[in-house]
Amino acid sequence: MGIAESTPDELPSDAEEQLRNGEEQLELSGRRLRRLPSAVCALSRLQKLYVSGTGLRELPEEIEELRELRILALDFNKLERLPDGLCRLPRLTRLYLGSNRLLALPNDFAQLQSLRCLWIEGNFLRRFPRPLLRLVALQSLQMGDNRLRALPAELPRMTGLRGLWLYGNRFEEFPPALLRMGRLHILDLDRNRLGGFPDLHPLRALRVFSYDHNPVTGPPRVADTVFLVGEGAVERMAERDEPTPRPPPRRPARVFEDEEEEDLLIGGGSSRALGPPVDSLCALEAAPGLGT
């Protein structure tokens, strides 16, 4: 049986039942939708909208009418651009844009000042989107599997950032700006082209550093409190006098605890029901000895 396809402007038949429970949440994932039904944008009290894996190719400017929206999931679609209207959602805290076809973000993206968690992995970004530099409250930034080669010197302006995932990009040298990100807790540089690392002791708040699948011969110099994932990591941590630190525990899929910082760092428990990329530390699931 195929997936039901709604007509372009109407809500799916079960939408009213979904909204009746008072949670102001709408789940459209897995349906065939080339564009978002215009009726969705009329749900002015909607707080959570999931439109993952639908084949969505465009969003209407009217999406800005969803002024109460907190969570928006648009991952695993075919979006090539974002409308300016999406940048005018004043309460949006979590935005999932992974596995689309985005080359850039709109300049107005910087207006999303409530945003705490952004997943934009698996797109075609060649340059770090400069509007992100003005999102000083952003805590979790997932940019794995893009085409980045460098990071802007202004990156430390993002003073709220605690988790940064850059696996599967094209870095050949450790980006110098990262050494001034003294508040980072989690840094993932798996699957790049890094041949070595500087001394990472300046990253005083670092708790987890993943560098696996890079052409390096050994782990970087880090504080003894840092959990390492990569070539020689187990041996290095075994040499420490202190017990090996543990990364944060796994979260069940599709958990959204808006006010818990650590949950934000791991992207809402792997973030999406469709799951994180394989062989990465995107949700800390690749680390050995991980709790449940």
Side-chain angles (χ1 to χ4, degrees):
M1 181 180 296
I3 299 173
E5 184 169 3
S6 302
T7 58
D9 296 318
E10 66 180 15
L11 288 174
S13 58
D14 63 340
E16 184 176 345
E17 182 178 351
Q18 289 190 49
L19 297 169
R20 192 179 297 144
N21 59 18
E23 291 186 5
E24 303 300 341
Q25 171 177 317
L26 184 60
E27 173 64 84
L28 300 178
S29 297
R31 306 167 190 261
R32 291 194 190 126
L33 297 171
R34 286 182 176 271
R35 64 186 181 92
L36 192 68
S38 58
V40 172
C41 299
L43 301 173
S44 59
R45 299 196 307 176
L46 199 65
Q47 295 187 14
K48 301 177 183 179
L49 176 58
Y50 306 109
V51 197
S52 301
T54 65
L56 196 69
R57 293 178 180 272
E58 60 179 311
L59 292 170
E61 288 288 347
E62 291 78 11
I63 197 170
E64 68 178 290
E65 301 300 324
L66 300 177
R67 307 286 289 178
E68 298 297 321
L69 204 62
R70 269 68 167 177
I71 298 171
L72 177 57
L74 297 166
D75 42 350
F76 296 94
N77 283 301
K78 299 179 180 180
L79 297 171
E80 296 182 2
R81 59 173 297 275
L82 301 176
D84 290 339
L86 184 144
C87 304
R88 293 190 281 272
L89 298 174
R91 292 176 174 81
L92 193 66
T93 61
R94 301 181 189 227
L95 178 58
Y96 300 101
L97 294 167
S99 298
N100 277 284
R101 301 173 178 178
L102 299 173
L103 296 171
L105 297 178
N107 289 333
D108 287 347
F109 201 86
Q111 295 182 24
L112 295 172
Q113 288 295 306
S114 294
L115 202 60
R116 299 293 182 271
C117 177
L118 174 62
W119 282 44
I120 194 169
E121 78 285 1
N123 280 280
F124 301 131
L125 300 176
R126 294 182 179 274
R127 296 184 179 181
F128 188 92
R130 298 195 67 82
L132 297 183
L133 297 173
R134 289 185 277 166
L135 298 181
V136 295
L138 191 68
Q139 296 180 21
S140 176
L141 178 56
Q142 160 64 281
M143 298 188 73
D145 288 325
N146 276 283
R147 302 178 181 184
L148 301 176
R149 296 179 181 272
L151 297 177
E154 302 93 332
L155 189 69
R157 291 180 186 174
M158 302 179 71
T159 55
L161 206 58
R162 299 295 182 268
L164 179 58
W165 288 265
L166 297 168
Y167 59 84
N169 277 283
R170 299 180 180 180
F171 296 105
E172 296 182 359
E173 297 181 354
F174 188 89
L178 288 176
L179 290 176
R180 294 184 287 125
M181 300 293 291
R183 299 180 181 181
L184 269 185
H185 293 178
I186 300 168
L187 177 59
D188 185 347
L189 284 166
D190 278 8
R191 292 191 285 112
N192 278 280
R193 304 170 183 176
L194 299 171
F197 301 102
D199 187 338
L200 300 187
H201 280 89
L203 300 180
R204 297 180 181 276
L206 196 63
R207 295 166 54 191
V208 180
F209 179 57
S210 182
Y211 59 93
D212 212 6
H213 304 101
N214 279 283
V216 294
T217 57
R221 289 175 290 173
V222 296
D224 287 348
T225 53
V226 178
F227 189 97
L228 293 169
V229 180
E231 179 71 26
V234 173
E235 293 79 5
R236 172 65 61 84
M237 290 188 291
E239 295 171 356
R240 297 172 176 171
D241 294 332
E242 298 293 327
T244 300
R246 294 173 61 85
R250 289 176 61 175
R251 301 279 178 181
R254 210 99 186 208
V255 169
F256 295 103
E257 303 170 56
D258 289 330
E259 296 173 1
E260 186 174 341
E261 180 186 14
E262 190 164 84
D263 186 50
L264 271 174
L265 287 181
I266 62 175
S270 302
S271 163
R272 310 294 305 117
L274 294 178
V278 178
D279 294 331
S280 79
L281 195 68
C282 63
L284 301 182
E285 294 186 328
L290 203 57
T292 57

